[in-house]
Amino acid sequence: MGNESSLPQNLALTTQFSEEELRRLGRRFKKLDIDKNGTISIEEFMSLPELQQNPLVRRVIDLFDTDRNGEIDFKEFVQGLSQFTVKGADKESKLKFAFKVYDIDQDGYISNGELFQVLKMMVGTNLKDVQLQQIVDKTILIADKDGDGKISFEEFSAMVGVNSDFHKRMVVDV
């Protein structure tokens, strides 16, 4: 975790966590870091039973992994979790994070294929691909206000964010 005495102070300045919360997160991080190499792999994350059942955990880990090396270091862990604090990220930030879950290729749009992929992760084999594609097509049709065949962040926000309290459910307890 690097220089542990200065890291909590530095992260306290750039995240919504207090130094005490950062110390607690540090202890949790060390427990997750089974091989003690200073990073958490997808396999280490998946060792938690509560995450094994979450179909989107791999997408969230991908978003936490800002340097794209396939593992999460402590800074990425804290910055990723800061999206989910009660006092931290506002509704707009949480909407952006939710949008990124669907925007797999990070081009600023959710395509038909990306929406299908993410929804497939969520429903697994509970729906046939044809049924799922119909839902995707209808969703794109409803959300796509400019008719370009994909969903922009603004269109996503208008569809998901209006009169929604989803951001209140995107919270972790530190």
Side-chain angles (χ1 to χ4, degrees):
M1 278 182 13
N3 183 349
E4 290 189 35
S5 62
S6 65
L7 195 56
Q9 289 175 328
N10 294 342
L11 288 171
L13 296 173
T14 60
T15 68
Q16 300 295 325
F17 295 117
S18 69
E19 287 186 40
E20 177 54 35
E21 289 170 325
L22 287 167
R23 280 191 280 281
R24 280 197 302 266
L25 286 172
R27 288 191 294 272
R28 287 183 186 174
F29 183 88
K30 285 180 178 180
K31 285 181 184 175
L32 284 171
D33 183 15
I34 297 166
D35 63 8
K36 307 297 181 217
N37 72 344
T39 61
I40 305 172
S41 67
I42 288 177
E43 293 74 25
E44 288 169 321
F45 267 109
M46 298 306 279
S47 70
L48 293 172
E50 58 268 32
L51 293 183
Q52 292 172 2
Q53 303 305 313
N54 187 327
L56 294 180
V57 73
R58 289 184 189 272
R59 279 295 302 136
V60 171
I61 292 169
D62 285 346
L63 293 173
F64 280 24
D65 183 18
T66 56
D67 64 7
R68 303 279 173 249
N69 70 351
E71 299 205 332
I72 309 299
D73 62 30
F74 184 64
K75 182 178 178 185
E76 290 169 325
F77 180 72
V78 169
Q79 289 174 332
L81 287 177
S82 71
Q83 303 282 329
F84 301 100
T85 64
V86 174
K87 61 185 175 199
D90 58 8
K91 186 175 182 176
E92 177 87 358
S93 297
K94 289 181 181 185
L95 265 172
K96 286 179 182 174
F97 186 87
F99 180 82
K100 288 177 185 178
V101 169
Y102 292 90
D103 182 17
I104 296 171
D105 67 5
Q106 301 174 7
D107 68 349
Y109 296 94
I110 301 169
S111 69
N112 189 295
E114 289 171 322
L115 185 56
F116 182 90
Q117 275 184 269
V118 174
L119 292 179
K120 183 70 177 173
M121 289 176 210
M122 292 167 36
V123 301
T125 58
N126 292 325
L127 287 177
K128 294 179 181 168
D129 284 354
V130 173
Q131 294 170 306
L132 184 57
Q133 189 61 58
Q134 289 171 338
I135 292 168
V136 167
D137 292 343
K138 187 172 183 174
T139 302
I140 297 279
L141 203 63
I142 292 167
D144 179 25
K145 299 302 180 194
D146 64 7
D148 63 358
K150 52 193 173 185
I151 301 172
S152 67
F153 175 70
E154 291 73 24
E155 292 165 335
F156 178 82
S157 297
M159 182 176 70
V160 175
V162 176
N163 301 322
S164 173
D165 66 350
F166 83 96
H167 63 288
K168 293 178 183 172
R169 293 187 298 264
M170 288 179 67
V171 174
V172 293
D173 184 28
V174 182

